[in-house]
Amino acid sequence: MDPVSLQRHGTVSVITVDNPPVNALSQSVRRGLIDCFDEAELDAVTSAVVLICAGRTFIAGADIREFDLPAREPHLPDVVSRIEATAKPVIAAIHGTALGGGLEVAMACHYRLADRDARLGLPEVKLGLLPGATGTQRLPRLIGIERALDMMLSGESVTADAALETGLVDRVTGKDLLSGALEYAEDVAALGPRRVRDLVVEPVEGAVFDKAETRISQKARGQFAPERILRAVELATRLDFDEGVAAERQLFQECKESPQSQGLRHAFFAERNAAKVPGLDRETPARKVENIAVVGAGTMGAGIACNCLAAGYAVRLMDKDEAALARGAETVRKLLAGGVARGKIAERDRDASLQRFHAGQDFRDLSEADLVIEAVFENMTIKKGVFAQLDKVCKAGAVLATNTSTLDVDEIARATSRPEDVIGLHFFSPAHIMRLLEIVRGAGTSLDVVATALSLSRKLGKIGVVVGNCFGFVGNRMLYSYGRENQLLLLEGAAPEYIDRVLTDWGMAMGPNAVGDLAGLDVGYRIRQERKDLPDDPRFYRVADMLAELGRFGQKTGKGMYRYEEGSREPLPDPEVQALIRDEAKRLGVPERKVGEKEIVERCIYGLITEGARILEDGISHRASDIDVVWINGYGFPRYRGGPLYFADTIGVADVYRTVREFEQRFGPEYWKPPELLRKLAEENGHFSDIGA
Ligand code: T1G
C-alpha cells in the first residue's frame, strides 16, 4: 500500500501520510509526497491542500535507518521545496510529534494547525546531526534566532501552546484535527500561500551567538553538531534563503558522516532494541500493577517511591525505623515539590500523587501490593530477612523485586517459596532522574514477571535493560574492571585529578575518583568487605579501602579522594591524599612512574570492553548493544561514542585485542587475559555489534 494518499474533501485535497510506526520520511514517503502535491496542484477543483498523518503521530522525522544507506531521490530538501512552492495554500495538521524533518515539512506548509497535545521540535542534535532539510533557515525566520538556537541546541520539543505563542504554529485545536484543518483551509483559500522562505531573519545582538557559544562549551564539550548548528544559523543572518539552504546541506553532510553521529544513531536504536527480549513477545502478558510498595525509606527508596508516584501508581513507603520513615516520606514530598518547581510535574499531578502516597511501618500493610520493591541496606542477610517476610504477607501473584546493585538475586529469591515472582530492579541514583533500569532476571524468574518489569520501566520513563544474574550484573561488574585500573594507576603515580581530567576530556561525564566520592567510598568498601571472591592482590582497590578506613568517605564527609569546602560539591585536589597514596605504594612495592594519557584511557576503557566481552560470553547480556545502553545511561559513558562495545568496533576489535595482549604481558593474565570472544572477533575481523543483534 502507498504510504501517501490523496483524497478530496469538497475543494480541499487532503494528503495523508500513513507509514507506521512514526510516519518517518522514508524514500517511498518522499516519493509519495511529491506525487500527491503534483496531483493536488494540477487538480482544478482543489483550492487548498491539507497535509495530515494517520496513526499516533505526525511525521517524526527523516528515516534514521536510511542514513547508513546511499542517499536516494527525491532528497528531503527537494520535497520540502516542492511543498512550499505549491500555488494553493497548504495547511499542516499536526498531532503527536512533529520532529526533525517532520517539522521542516510543516514549516514548508503555508499554515500550521496543531492538536492541543502535540509537541514540536528539531531533535537532530541528539543524533549528532543538524536540521538538514531547511530547518536551520526556516525556524529563525519563524520564531527568531534566539528561540530557534535554543530549540536546535537543546533538541527538546515544545508544546502546541508554546509553539502558538512563538508563531511556530498558527492555530491550536482541541477538536477533531481534520475538521479543524478543513475549516482552516476554507479560511485561507482566498489568502493564498504564505511562504516562510520569504520572511526575513530579524537581526540580533552578537551577544546571542556568544551566549550560544558558551552554552555549547559548557553543555556539549567536544561535540561536533552543535557548532555546526550555530554556524548554519549565523549564515542565515547573512545569506539569502537558497544560499543558506545550500550551506546547511554541506554542514549536514559533515555531521551525517561524523563518527559522533554514527555513535548517537547506534545509541538511538540500541535503546529501542533493549526492549526486545528473546523469548518475550508482545503477547507475553504482564501482571497488573496499580499499587506498589517500597520497602526501605532511604535515599534510593524515597527516589523510587517518587518516580512511581509521578508515573501514576499508588505507593506505600515502608520502613521499620520510625525516624527513617519520616525522613523518607519528607524526601518524597520534597522531590515531588522539586519536580513542580522545575516544571517537570504539574501542581495538580503532584497533589494527586500525594493522595496516592502512604507511609507505614507494618509489613502486613503490604498484603495487597501488586509489586514490592525492596530498597534496604546492601546486605545479604538483611535482604533475605525482608524477602522471607514478604513471602509471608504478600498476596499470590505479587511481584517481589530487589533494588540490590550487586548481590545474588537467586540467593535472595531462595529466601521465599516463590522464586518465579522474584526479580532484580536495579535503579540508579538519583532514582527519580536516572533513566536506566537494570532488570535482573533470576534463574527462576518467570517470563510474565520480566514482561511486567519491562512495562513498569516504560511507564516510569526508564530504559529497561534485561540482564542475567551475576555479581554486579552488567553495569557494576564492568565498573569493577574500570575502577580497578583507576586504583592501580593511582598507586603507579597518576594523581586522582589527572586521571579524572583525562577521562572527562575523553568524554566521560565524571572521572572515576569524583564518582567514588559522590557515591561514598564507604559503600564500595562495605561491598568489597562482604565479597569472598576478590583477587588475591594487596593492591586491589587498596587506595579506596585505605581512605574509607580513615573515614574519608567523600562528599558526605567533606573528604575522600578529594576535599570539599563546606557546602560545596567541587572536588579539590588534596595533597594529603597524594602523600597517603605514595606511602601506600611504597609499602606495597609499587614503583612510581609517569603515566601517559593514552595509557589511562586504554586501561580504563579496555577494562570495560574486556569485561563486557566476558559478560557476553557468560550470557549475562543478550546483545552487545544492551551493554552500551547500560553504560551510556547509568555510568556517564559518552553517548556520542555509542557505548563501550560499539566504541571497540569503531577502533577495531583487532586493535583492542592487540593492546589487551600487551597489557597481559605487562600487568599479568589475572586482569588482562583476553576473553575468548575478544580473540575470536579479532581473528575473524568480527564486530561486537553482530553479537545477539
Ligand atoms: N526513523 C526511523 N525509525 C524511527 C524513527 C525515525 N526517525 N523514529 C522512531 N523510529 C522507530 C523506532 O526505532 C521504533 O522502532 C519505533 O519507531 C517506535 O519508536 C533531515 C536529519 C517519535 C518520540 O530524532 O524521538 O529528521 O523498535 O519506541 O517511545 O532534518 O521515536 O519498534 O522497531 O521511540 O513512542 C529526527 C526520533 C530524525 C525523532 C516516538 N527525528 N524518534 O517515541 O516510540 S533526523 C527524531 C523519537 C531528521 C532532518 C533530520 C521517538 C518518538 P521499533 P519509539 P515512542
Side-chain angles (χ1 to χ4, degrees), residues 21-22 24 56 60-65 67 76 97 99-102 104 123-124 127 129-133 252 268-269 272-273 276 282:
V22 295
R56 61 187 166 129
D63 189 329
I64 305 169
R65 292 182 197 286
F67 289 148
L76 189 50
T97 53
L99 300 175
E104 291 169 301
E124 283 86 346
L127 296 166
L129 300 166
L130 55 74
F252 174 76
F268 177 88
F269 288 115
R272 280 144 187 88
N273 289 339
K276 298 163 189 159
R282 290 179 194 284

Side-chain angles (χ1 to χ4, degrees), residues 29 112 664:
V29 170
R112 281 156 293 282
E664 183 187 22

Side-chain angles (χ1 to χ4, degrees), residues 424-501:
L425 289 180
H426 178 204
F427 288 78
F428 287 74
S429 181
H432 64 296
I433 293 179
M434 292 292 280
R435 292 195 64 210
L436 181 66
L437 182 63
E438 244 183 347
I439 298 172
V440 185
R441 187 176 178 174
T445 306
S446 66
L447 270 182
D448 66 335
V449 168
V450 177
T452 306
L454 279 168
S455 100
L456 173 87
S457 77
R458 267 193 299 278
K459 198 153 176 222
L460 294 179
K462 304 281 188 206
I463 301 173
V465 181
V466 178
V467 300
N469 179 37
C470 65
F471 177 85
F473 319 126
V474 167
N476 284 343
R477 175 172 163 178
M478 292 167 72
L479 184 65
Y480 253 76
S481 305
Y482 173 81
R484 175 200 70 219
E485 290 308 307
N486 169 52
Q487 292 284 315
L488 293 171
L489 286 160
L490 290 168
L491 287 172
E492 294 161 30
E497 60 273 15
Y498 171 48
I499 296 172
D500 284 5
R501 198 266 301 154

Side-chain angles (χ1 to χ4, degrees), residues 651-665:
I651 50 178
V653 178
D655 283 1
V656 174
Y657 178 65
R658 219 182 346 271
T659 306
V660 168
R661 294 293 310 273
E662 280 165 29
F663 288 161
E664 183 187 22
Q665 300 303 317

Side-chain angles (χ1 to χ4, degrees), residues 297 319-329 360-361:
D319 200 303
K320 280 201 298 196
D321 179 294
E322 192 177 351
L325 184 65
R327 268 197 313 277
Q361 294 183 271

